Amino acid sequence: MNDFIYHNPDKIYFGKSALNYLGAELKKYGKKVLLVYGGGSIKRNGLYDEVVKAVKESGLKLYELSGVEPNPRHTTANKGAKICKDNKVDVVLAVGGGSTIDCAKGVAAAALTKKGDIWEIVKSGASVEKALPLIAVLTNAATGSEMDEWAVISNMDTNEKIGIGGEGLIPKAAFENPEYSFTLPESQTACGAFEIFNHVLDNYYLAGEATFDLILEFQEAVMRAVVKWAPVAMKEPDNYEARANLMWASSMALNHVLDAGTVHGCACHAMEHELSAYYDITHGHGLAIVTPRWLTYILDEKTAPQIYRLGVKVFGLKEGLEAFAGAKAAIEALEKFCFETLGLKKNLSDLNIDETHFKAMAEHACGGEVIDGPKTLTPKDVEEIYKMCL
Ligand code: NZQ
């Protein structure tokens, strides 16, 4: 177990009454609010009206940035930064899924720089310590952005999708009412659920160094919750219990509770971000395609016992198999979950993706070096994994 420091200042309002506290929370940070949202789902489900009402009743002045794309673009974040700078906005309010929250984080960071250009921050690789205060209202259980210090911004001109991080990007507060996610389409629910699952799996003790039992059990509990509740939410979109389990799992999966004492891993994410950057696919779907192939690729005598344990603890496989056979059964169970239960397409070719860019994507995923994890991956390894996904 590694030493760790845990600190998360994000205040969570969870449940049906959450929004009652929005106005008071915003007022703590000033008088001018920039509302950031996506392509219109919040207008269609009535949340936009509720939020605007809460802001206006609190006597705050409202500005808007709409049209944030899934895989949010740097150009959109820059537009928001300009609105903030021109109008001396005090606080940024994101209402939506991970893309909207990430874009709002980009806005909040860029607004405090001279040029107001998020891409300059992204390319500098610097940790973001200063940003305008950010409040998030979550509508999609998936990324954990509502409770973490990361934002992932895309530049489609250069086929780059890059994460930035830093304490300045942690929301001051997040509002999580599971009812806001009732209107999610079935496929988006599936993609979000797998994103949560993968956030935990990327940090799971896979290489036999499991020395922090409590964390291992927490990780398995969250993955089990996803396996149990995702199919319920897909069939019964307004099942509060299912949506609540997924929403809290989303926040737990990446707020560092579940990677306390572990080595933070992100192999699947590094590989998937290239897929989204080149082909603009849904992040959770890309992860579902990559993850079982990655597990197959890293399966060896060191990882087999833990992969088997995952199968037993998360998918209910029986104990007592030889480690390799158990690990293979665990990967099969995971595939069944991704491609049958969640109904996601299994192969990159199903999404019209071929190997044209695999070499460049693999090199970029490794950031000029390698991807660390239970097994170190070189660009050649990553290329092989992409080929397994075809
Ligand atoms: O844009 P709108 O109209 O809101 O529609 C969205 C979008 O089309 C829709 N949606 C969201 N909530 C809804 C809803 N539709 C109906 N009812 C609702 N309640 O769902 C679509 C996808 O939304 P998006 O925000 O793109 O999905 P997600 O939350 O999965 O976010 C994905 C982005 O987050 C990044 C991903 O790479 C991707 O760019 N990530 C951010 C992370 C972080 N900040 O820590 C970590 C993640 O691993 C991930 O990389």
Side-chain angles (χ1 to χ4, degrees):
M1 182 197 313
N2 294 330
D3 294 352
F4 62 90
I5 297 170
Y6 186 82
H7 173 71
N8 194 320
D10 192 351
K11 182 171 182 176
I12 305 297
Y13 294 87
F14 195 98
K16 295 177 186 175
S17 63
L19 224 55
N20 295 348
Y21 306 93
L22 178 64
E25 197 59 49
L26 286 167
K27 277 205 293 199
K28 286 184 192 167
Y29 301 100
K31 292 198 163 72
K32 295 181 181 179
V33 180
L34 175 69
L35 167 62
V36 180
Y37 59 99
S41 70
I42 67 161
K43 287 208 162 164
R44 290 188 290 279
N45 66 14
L47 180 56
Y48 173 88
D49 291 337
E50 280 185 56
V51 168
V52 169
K53 188 163 168 260
V55 173
K56 295 216 161 139
E57 281 179 357
S58 304
L60 302 166
K61 189 162 170 46
L62 190 67
Y63 301 85
E64 286 193 24
L65 172 71
S66 61
V68 175
E69 313 83 356
N71 300 321
R73 316 298 200 248
H74 71 296
T75 42
T76 309
N78 287 350
K79 263 191 224 161
K82 184 166 177 350
I83 300 173
C84 291
K85 287 166 90 68
D86 289 351
N87 299 286
K88 298 196 169 34
V89 162
D90 300 304
V91 48
V92 181
L93 169 62
V95 183
S99 294
T100 293
I101 301 173
D102 282 7
C103 181
K105 288 179 176 180
V107 169
L112 293 192
T113 65
K114 212 165 170 189
K115 281 199 202 155
D117 180 12
I118 189 60
W119 202 244
E120 198 172 277
I121 300 177
V122 171
K123 291 303 270 187
S124 76
S127 168
V128 183
E129 301 306 320
K130 278 203 286 181
L132 285 174
L134 173 89
I135 307 276
V137 178
L138 181 66
T139 63
N140 184 20
T143 64
S145 187
E146 67 277 8
M147 219 182 160
D148 74 21
E149 76 280 34
W150 304 106
V152 188
I153 306 292
S154 292
N155 182 336
M156 290 324 212
D157 302 331
T158 57
N159 291 129
E160 287 177 289
K161 177 171 174 174
I162 300 178
I164 49 172
E167 220 164 286
L169 299 181
I170 302 175
K172 300 290 179 210
F175 294 78
E176 303 188 21
N177 178 348
E179 291 173 327
Y180 304 152
S181 60
F182 285 179
T183 49
L184 275 165
E186 191 178 315
S187 62
Q188 202 60 53
T189 301
C191 290
F194 194 73
E195 224 177 304
I196 301 168
F197 189 97
N198 183 273
H199 283 152
V200 185
L201 185 63
D202 255 356
N203 290 303
Y204 192 60
Y205 289 100
L206 275 176
E209 76 280 32
T211 57
F212 199 173
D213 189 57
L214 176 65
I215 293 299
L216 200 53
E217 296 280 349
F218 275 175
Q219 292 174 329
E220 286 155 354
V222 172
M223 287 189 279
R224 263 199 314 275
V226 173
V227 169
K228 175 172 177 179
W229 291 107
V232 179
M234 287 167 68
K235 277 198 203 77
E236 302 163 32
D238 54 358
N239 184 313
Y240 188 86
E241 175 87 11
R243 293 295 189 185
N245 272 276
L246 292 174
M247 208 166 242
W248 196 229
S250 158
S251 299
M252 283 296 120
L254 217 58
N255 69 359
H256 299 301
V257 164
L258 299 188
D259 62 28
T262 73
V263 178
H264 182 76
C266 59
C268 295
H269 272 69
M271 291 187 272
E272 197 295 320
H273 281 170
E274 297 306 309
L275 290 168
S276 310
Y278 273 81
Y279 298 102
D280 202 13
I281 64 171
T282 305
H283 178 54
H285 193 174
L287 287 172
I289 293 175
V290 168
T291 305
R293 277 61 179 236
W294 169 69
L295 280 179
T296 304
Y297 195 81
I298 66 164
L299 175 58
D300 60 16
E301 61 292 336
K302 218 166 104 195
T303 56
Q306 280 303 110
I307 297 176
Y308 180 25
R309 176 180 164 131
L310 175 82
V312 172
K313 294 283 197 157
V314 176
F315 293 107
L317 297 185
K318 65 171 189 218
E319 292 187 74
L321 295 179
E322 181 274 319
F324 254 83
K328 282 186 181 152
I331 296 170
E332 269 168 35
L334 176 66
E335 286 192 315
K336 201 162 173 240
F337 175 62
C338 292
F339 309 123
E340 293 179 27
T341 310
L342 297 181
L344 297 169
K345 292 198 168 116
K346 188 173 179 175
N347 301 309
L348 291 179
S349 54
D350 299 329
L351 306 181
N352 298 320
I353 296 174
D354 62 21
E355 51 188 292
T356 309
H357 299 294
F358 282 179
K359 194 165 185 305
M361 286 161 56
E363 272 161 18
H364 200 251
C366 292
E369 296 173 19
V370 292
I371 301 176
D372 285 327
K375 195 169 190 166
T376 302
L377 302 176
T378 64
K380 203 137 195 46
D381 295 317
V382 173
E383 213 180 325
E384 278 312 305
I385 295 172
Y386 285 141
K387 285 183 187 159
M388 290 164 73
C389 297
L390 277 172

